[in-house]
Amino acid sequence: MRHFDEQAFYNKRTFEATGWTYLQEYAVDFLDWYEECLKIAPTVPAKDWMIAHDMLTPKDFWRAMRRGIGNYFRAQGVFPDFREARDFTAMTLLNSIISPMPRVNPADKLLVGEYIPKGVRSKIRPPKVFAAFSDADDLDKAALEPGHYVIKSNHGSSHVIRAKAPISDVDMAAYRATCAKWIAGDHGKFSSQWWYQFIDRKVFIEEDLCREEGEIVPDFRFHCINGKVALLQLDLGLGTEARNNPVFDGDLNYMPHDFLRANKGEVDLPEGAETARKAAAAICKKFPYVRVDTYVRDGEVFLGELTFLPNSGRRRIQSDELNEYLCGFFDPIPQVVAIGA
């Protein structure tokens, strides 16, 4: 894979100074570079893997690539550097455009359990799924025992309804309407998250990990690069004013830096944190970059989803030290791979 030699020219152009003037040219140069690299790239079998360049029409691939780059340019104020690892978010964006994705789609929340290696299946599991439907109108066909549940979509982000059974007719009608919008929506359409287009869309009902109303189960987000756990982003108090995002290195040592949100101080990691870390390390081996999202409750570890472009590739790492630390794991940076027979 040759270097993206045109990068040096664009590194001198900022959004503040040029606006969108050079976006089209950057996208053209990047596409030319990418297609040249594909001609000489190593291959992976088509029966197991897919890449955006082959799965999308040329027009749709162009749109996905350009939107991803444009989102980054506007949010960061500079073009992404695809020549070397200088920014964590740029590397995750490059990964989203060029890296292969398994055909058993790991972004599908209903398939995420298939990515738990046999050696750790006794240590981590997805939440139990009670029912799944392709049509939101079928939602009321679920035979649910009285209790608390979560309704989600398998192909989107932040699609969550907390429900208590038995569910009233009024609430069920509202849930069906919301789920119909989820199924109709194209998550990832306005970014480079092309893989969501290839998920068989469903809504599903799973167990609620919160045992009582208002409880928040800690969200352990392991950022993994080139098969290694690089960072734990612990999300505490989601949806509250007390929300805290302390971060820890790959060995679970606290790091006093802000990542994507405010790190308000160190907290004691609960029982199960090391188990979650080991599970993430096992799950991430085949991906240049993946965020393994887990939950820990009373020492038990649950796998929520696998994320490949956090925050659609828009957010800035708030700490230069943390950014440099993360970029050290991108050796090599995401590589061009072609699809073979």
Side-chain angles (χ1 to χ4, degrees):
M1 179 172 113
R2 75 167 178 85
H3 284 295
F4 180 31
D5 295 329
E6 295 83 353
Q7 182 77 55
F9 172 84
Y10 295 104
N11 282 349
K12 300 174 183 177
R13 274 70 192 173
T14 66
F15 186 79
E16 182 180 9
T18 68
W20 298 110
T21 302
Y22 291 98
L23 178 59
Q24 185 80 0
E25 288 85 349
Y26 182 99
V28 169
D29 285 340
F30 175 79
L31 181 59
D32 288 346
W33 165 83
Y34 178 46
E35 292 187 334
E36 283 182 28
C37 290
L38 278 174
K39 295 174 184 177
I40 59 173
T43 61
V44 292
K47 66 182 180 65
D48 299 323
W49 298 89
M50 55 184 177
I51 57 173
H53 184 272
D54 291 4
M55 294 296 293
L56 304 176
T57 67
K59 186 176 182 179
D60 286 341
F61 177 73
W62 170 265
R63 285 174 174 169
M65 174 195 67
R66 191 178 183 279
R67 283 169 177 161
I69 293 168
N71 287 340
Y72 180 96
F73 184 45
R74 183 167 189 172
Q76 306 284 342
V78 295
F79 282 104
D81 191 333
F82 290 153
R83 190 172 55 179
E84 57 184 329
R86 299 175 59 193
D87 180 65
F88 166 80
T89 304
M91 289 295 97
T92 62
L93 175 60
L94 177 63
N95 179 70
S96 75
I97 298 171
I98 71 171
S99 291
M101 183 73 68
R103 287 196 177 265
V104 179
N105 201 318
D108 186 334
K109 294 182 181 66
L110 288 171
L111 299 180
V112 72
E114 298 192 25
Y115 287 90
I116 302 176
K118 291 182 180 179
V120 295
R121 287 184 181 174
S122 63
K123 307 294 185 182
I124 183 172
R125 68 172 177 88
K128 182 179 179 180
V129 174
F130 295 96
F133 305 101
S134 299
D135 189 333
D137 287 340
D138 292 335
L139 195 64
D140 59 358
K141 294 181 180 178
L144 300 176
E145 296 292 330
H148 294 272
Y149 300 89
V150 178
I151 304 172
K152 296 180 177 180
S153 75
N154 67 328
H155 71 287
S157 177
S158 302
H159 291 176
V160 179
I161 296 172
R162 283 196 151 76
K164 183 178 180 181
I167 302 172
S168 70
D169 291 342
V170 172
D171 285 343
M172 181 60 75
Y175 298 162
R176 286 198 303 266
T178 297
C179 290
K181 291 179 181 178
W182 290 349
I183 290 176
D186 293 323
H187 185 69
K189 180 179 180 180
F190 296 105
S191 69
S192 52
Q193 299 176 89
W194 58 274
W195 48 87
Y196 286 109
Q197 299 181 41
F198 299 97
I199 293 176
D200 182 16
R201 300 177 189 179
K202 291 182 171 66
V203 293
F204 63 99
I205 303 172
E206 71 176 20
E207 65 177 305
D208 191 347
L209 300 182
C210 300
R211 294 197 175 103
E212 58 186 50
E213 192 170 344
E215 179 185 3
I216 297 176
V217 178
D219 188 346
F220 286 68
R221 302 175 180 180
F222 291 95
H223 296 264
C224 305
I225 304 169
N226 285 328
K228 297 179 180 178
V229 176
L231 186 80
L232 165 59
Q233 173 194 0
L234 184 56
D235 199 348
L236 302 170
L238 178 64
T240 72
E241 293 184 359
R243 188 176 186 180
N244 183 17
N245 273 201
V247 293
F248 303 79
D249 68 14
D251 294 319
L252 302 186
N253 299 306
Y254 176 69
M255 304 182 77
H257 305 297
D258 291 342
F259 182 42
L260 300 174
R261 296 181 177 86
N263 177 357
K264 297 180 180 179
E266 184 175 5
V267 297
D268 292 332
L269 292 175
E271 178 188 358
E274 176 60 20
T275 300
R277 188 196 68 81
K278 289 180 178 179
I283 291 167
C284 75
K285 292 301 183 185
K286 63 173 60 180
F287 303 109
Y289 169 79
V290 63
R291 193 185 78 195
V292 182
D293 294 356
T294 66
Y295 299 91
V296 177
R297 185 190 66 190
D298 296 340
E300 188 174 8
V301 182
F302 302 85
L303 177 60
E305 61 184 294
L306 301 180
T307 300
F308 296 89
L309 187 62
N311 303 289
S312 302
R314 292 184 174 95
R315 298 198 67 150
R316 183 193 301 269
I317 305 303
Q318 297 185 26
S319 162
D320 292 339
E321 293 88 349
L322 198 55
N323 199 18
E324 182 178 358
Y325 164 78
L326 288 168
C327 285
F329 287 85
F330 280 108
D331 184 15
I333 67 172
Q335 301 291 294
V336 175
V337 176
I339 298 298

